[in-house]
Amino acid sequence: MMKSELRTRALKALNKKAAYGPDIDISQYELEEPRVEGDLRAVKGKSVLRAVERVGIDSLKRTGYLQVNETAYYKLMEKALSKYGVKVMPLRIALEKLDLAKELAWSLVSPDYDKYTAAAYLYGGELGYFVYVPSNVKVPIPIYTCLVLTSEKRIQFTHNVVYVDDYSEAHVVTGCAVPHGLSKGMHIGISEFFLGKNSKLTFSMIHAWSEGVHVRPRTAVRTKEGSEYVSYYVIYSPVASVQAYPTVFLDKEAKTYMATIIAGEGLGVYDLGSRAILEAPHTSAEIVSRVLAMDRAKVFARAEIRAKAPKSKGHIECLGLLLSEVAEIQSIPVIASERPGAELSHEAAIGVIAQEELEYLMSKGFTEEEARAIIIRGFMSIEAPGIPPSVRAEVGKILDLVTKYAIG
Amino acid sequence: MRDLLRIKDLTVAIGDKVIVRKVNLSVGRGEMHVIMGPNAAGKSTLLAAIMGLPRTRILKGSIIFEGVEITNKPCYERAKMGIALAHQIPPAVKGVRFSEVAKALIERCGCSDHTLMAKMLRVDKLLERDLFVGFSGGERKRAELYLTMIQGPKLALLDEPDSGVDLESLSIIANVIEYLIRKKNASIILVTHSGAILEKLSRISKTHIMINGEIVYSGYPDDIIPIVTKFGYRKSVEILLGDSR
């Protein structure tokens, strides 16, 4: 589609409400001129470090791409990753240099999907990361990217495009965070991921926001024959509202595993889900979520698997644990089949901590608080397949933090 | 010698229902006491009350452990003092690895022979699974006994270790109980409904029969077990009480 046509469509969609989540008036936020700085060493300010620590990244040196508000830094890991032929750069630069980037950007997420994608298209300046992994490469180190919002009343736009070429494997880890105390802000993130034939991408995302921040990620993934997409999403902070419903389109023999861990607190609205479209035979999808709801948090845990081909399989498992008298969890699993011969199932349950389990652990010498922590930590433990041990260990630390929050 | 455990005139309720009535029991160091009785006699509730599980309510009486009154102490403090309960049916705890709980207990209790115990009870292969999730009857009993043993208890409360287990597991469990007494000098209160394990145990100090919440007869195992096996609990008590009069 022509650029001018996309622009016209985006302009028309600027007031188009999203299907889910509270409607946010974008005009209340200030826009910032998008900039590319290049070297990560130019990053100044302790607030950035404080923010990235919240998503388990203890050093900026490991980060392949960092975006602070509307400024992109990216060169530090360039050398280490170029050894494997991996290209990591701001999308804005990729769009200038690479035809592939031009071909891919906005091909999975349409600018007129809703008002947030429209604003990102019109005002985002195409900041965000572009990652390209050439064919037949297994990248042994995780590619860390970090998106940080430090200024008050700003919108951060980010547009990420990842292409893992045929027979390759990569792990992308993205942390999105604000330093403690940011009172007002908005983050709109567009992500488009492409998996070549028989490739594998694991994508771990950790969110740590604050009470005044609205977050609207828009993610779509297209997989080619025989590929595998694994996503692992954790949010453990307060937030004003977050709404996302990433969608994976699966081609023949492709599979996906999508895990979501939500620890909702404060007055936040957490409307989060995963959707898989089984477009061809022998595809499979598994969607798993674990929800903790504390304080007055309102959590919608959505999941959808839609089968458009026979011999496809899907399973949804949504489990919730209500830890407050006034919080709310709504679990909304949807399975839909458009062809005979697809096997789809779901299970959903919302409960409280079982007294029997607490009592059992206390009889082994754990205090009530320790016993609660063990049960909550266990509840959130999801063994996502293929997540590298280093990332698993980092997520483990985050889940320890979540547990601390949950037991007060 | 001062008793390790002394229970005086203990009456226990669960909710509003009185389950254990006026029980008196003394257990010395290194002794094994067996409590037998029909279903719903109050045997498990007595062990739960000694452990201090929150669901039990002491209405009357006292529990003294190593000379210290523990009647109102929370169960985790009693566990730290050296009392361990092997539950009859431990709950499945999804997401919590068996090995994680074991590791925490080994660290706290300083158990040095946990590897040997894991081998004796054949739980090595279960350690990386979620605690009791999908375990068979025998696996569950062996795993629970392992968690009890690695606490290095001074007093082990074993609630029906012989119910719902296969013969092989029964022998393993009996060997481990003997090991606990012989090598660890632990004291044991073992509750059994079926009595299946008793013929495999050689070190029983005393046997008690409990009916309707009361210990109605106490004596030496050789005097009691053959009669119970032949006549059942209620009739046996009549016979035994008749003999003693």
Side-chain angles (χ1 to χ4, degrees), chain A residues 35 37-44 48-49 52 57 60 63-69 71-75 88 90 127-129 144-148 156 175:
Chain A
R35 291 190 298 137
E37 270 289 341
D39 200 330
L40 267 171
R41 281 169 291 201
V43 176
K44 289 190 179 74
V48 175
L49 279 172
V52 298
I57 296 173
L60 287 178
T63 311
Y65 174 88
L66 170 71
Q67 184 176 326
V68 181
N69 304 318
T71 304
Y73 307 84
Y74 68 104
K75 282 194 169 159
V88 180
L127 287 192
Y129 53 83
Y144 286 96
T145 59
C146 213
L147 309 164
V148 177
Q156 180 182 52

Side-chain angles (χ1 to χ4, degrees), chain A residues 224-282:
Chain A
K224 279 192 185 163
E225 188 180 336
S227 59
E228 184 181 357
Y229 174 71
V230 176
S231 84
Y232 192 92
Y233 171 80
V234 183
I235 180 164
Y236 77 99
S237 67
V239 69
S241 73
V242 54
Q243 188 273 312
Y245 210 161
T247 303
V248 182
F249 300 92
L250 294 127
D251 197 357
K252 201 167 67 178
E253 292 170 8
K255 57 181 181 179
T256 187
Y257 180 98
M258 303 167 87
T260 302
I261 297 170
I262 305 164
E265 59 175 295
L267 296 166
V269 176
Y270 301 74
D271 191 324
L272 293 159
S274 304
R275 184 188 282 127
I277 313 292
L278 310 177
E279 294 190 314
H282 304 291

Side-chain angles (χ1 to χ4, degrees), chain A residues 115-163:
Chain A
K115 65 202 287 187
Y116 309 111
T117 56
Y121 183 82
L122 294 167
Y123 313 123
E126 299 295 19
L127 287 192
Y129 53 83
F130 174 82
V131 176
Y132 173 72
V133 180
S135 56
N136 293 300
V137 170
K138 288 197 172 161
V139 188
I141 49 171
I143 302 163
Y144 286 96
T145 59
C146 213
L147 309 164
V148 177
L149 182 60
T150 59
S151 300
E152 293 282 349
K153 292 185 188 169
R154 298 280 168 79
I155 298 192
Q156 180 182 52
F157 293 107
T158 175
H159 183 187
N160 312 310
V161 174
V162 175
Y163 192 109

